[in-house]
Structure formats: C-alpha cells, structure tokens
Amino acid sequence: MTEGRSSRRGSSRAVRARWTATYETTPYQRLPWFDPDPSPQVVEALRQHFLTPGGTVLDLGCGAGSNVLYLAREGFEAHGVDLSPGAIRAATERARSDGVKAEFHVGDVLSLDYRAARFDGLLDNGCFHTLPVGRRRDYAREAARVLRPEGSFVLSWIAREHVSETGPPHRPSLAEVAAALEERFLFVRTSFHAAGEGNGPSRYVAWLRRRATPQPPRR
C-alpha cells in the first residue's frame, strides 16, 4: 500500500474518464502510440546496462504493456501501471497469451499504490507529456518517491519541435522537463531524435538517476 496517499492528489475525474473512454472506443492496436515492440530507448538502456536485469522496474503509463513484457522476458520483475482499465486489460491479456510473468495494475502516476523506494528502475514512454502542465512537479515527486535512491529512470516525450497537428497538446522543451525533475533527478544523458530518424514524431529521451540527496543549491 502507499504511504500517506491521502496527502497526494491524483488525476481529475475528467482526465480519468477521458483515458477510460480512449481504450473503450478504439482497439488498442489502432491507437497511434501503440507499438508491439519495445521502445528503442528501453532496448538501448538495457544494452548499455543502465537498466540491470534482475531488478524491479515500473512502467508509468504502460498502455498495452510492450515495454513491460520485453523487460519481463529479459529477467526483470516488471510492473506496469496505467490510468485506463482498458489498457491494463489489454496488457494483462497479452502477458497471459505470451506466457510472460508481469504485473499490471490500474493506477494513477500522480498517486501511486506502491511503497517508497519500491523500484530499482522506472520507465515513461509518453506519459509525462500528457499531464497538465501544473501537475508536472507532482509527477516528479511521486516518481522519486517510488524509485530507490540512485535508481534508473528512462523518460521519453514528444518534443516541442514536433510541429504536426497530431500528438499531445503539451510538448515540453528539455528546459521545461529539467525544471520539473532536476530537483529530484540527475540528468545522466539526454538525446533528441527528429522525426524521420526511424519511426515516430520528434522526441527527447533522458536517462535519469534518482538523487540520493537533494539537488545542490544554486551557486
């Protein structure tokens, strides 16, 4: 169970209803963000030993679970959480069909149902940029709470440079993401991937470490 959950405000009723409806009205395979394969940045993080097999990992906004299933196959204790019951049903069914041991739960990234320092690693492949701008620091606090000190965090989001009409309305710059997360996370590596460099829209990828102590004061 969570610690002090009553003090953490979750997503609004309207946001919950919207994400519930998304998976009820459209088969998950037809949603624009669905990919049956793991995200390239997750594969690379594993290849570079930024994520270490055998550890516990949580995918924030896991959708239909492709990254969770991949990491479970690679030897992780892999968990996924999503606000949409339909997404969790899809992910659970895919795990069952593939014979993969993974845990999926309906949950809110702004008020997670996990104890402090529960995980060695976190993933976010497209959840952060869906949040209301005013809730970004709340997200950072909750992510830091469930990740152990010096734990790894692989974060990807649609870039501000993505100019297509399709995509999330809030497309953060690297500076905006740093403003929300830098107090609690150390930016180990960042990269920009323009549309046309492989599939998908322009995006940023950041590899983060949970700070063991608060960010040093400004000099």
Side-chain angles (χ1 to χ4, degrees):
M1 293 295 292
T2 57
E3 298 175 0
R5 183 176 181 180
S6 61
S7 65
R8 303 194 309 278
R9 180 168 61 92
S11 299
S12 70
R13 185 175 300 178
V15 168
R16 291 174 176 272
R18 184 174 74 245
W19 282 110
T20 296
T22 295
Y23 280 85
E24 288 180 348
T25 58
T26 305
Y28 74 87
Q29 302 93 331
R30 293 173 54 191
L31 291 169
W33 53 81
F34 173 72
D35 189 336
D37 298 318
S39 304
Q41 66 270 14
V42 175
V43 176
E44 178 68 6
L46 185 57
R47 189 179 73 83
Q48 296 285 346
H49 308 291
F50 187 69
L51 296 173
T52 305
T56 57
V57 64
L58 174 66
D59 189 353
L60 301 168
C62 66
S66 296
N67 285 322
V68 178
L69 298 178
Y70 167 72
L71 290 175
R73 294 187 187 101
E74 294 294 327
F76 289 82
E77 180 191 316
H79 300 251
V81 64
D82 200 284
L83 202 57
S84 170
I88 295 303
R89 284 195 298 272
T92 301
E93 179 54 37
R94 291 179 71 201
R96 183 182 301 113
S97 177
D98 292 349
V100 175
K101 184 179 179 181
E103 295 289 334
F104 295 99
H105 298 283
V106 176
D108 190 338
V109 299
L110 301 176
S111 182
L112 290 164
D113 243 341
Y114 301 101
R115 61 174 171 79
R118 169 69 173 84
F119 296 99
D120 301 308
L122 295 180
L123 311 175
D124 179 340
N125 183 45
C127 178
F128 180 86
H129 62 225
T130 69
L131 298 172
V133 174
R135 304 303 308 275
R136 288 173 180 171
R137 290 183 182 274
D138 296 335
Y139 166 97
R141 283 194 294 269
E142 192 66 350
R145 185 185 67 80
V146 301
L147 184 62
R148 67 166 175 81
E150 300 186 354
S152 303
F153 185 8
V154 180
L155 173 65
S156 178
W157 68 95
I158 303 298
R160 189 172 186 173
E161 291 78 5
H162 181 62
V163 296
S164 171
E165 291 184 3
T166 60
H170 304 301
R171 303 171 191 188
S173 68
L174 184 56
E176 288 174 303
V177 175
L181 273 66
E182 194 173 22
E183 180 182 353
R184 292 173 172 81
F185 296 94
L186 175 67
F187 282 68
V188 176
R189 167 175 160 176
T190 61
S191 57
F192 174 73
H193 305 265
E197 296 179 3
N199 297 323
S202 297
R203 71 188 191 282
Y204 282 101
V205 176
W207 290 5
L208 313 170
R209 290 277 187 204
R210 163 78 155 83
R211 292 184 185 273
T213 57
Q215 179 183 3
R218 294 182 183 275
R219 293 289 191 264

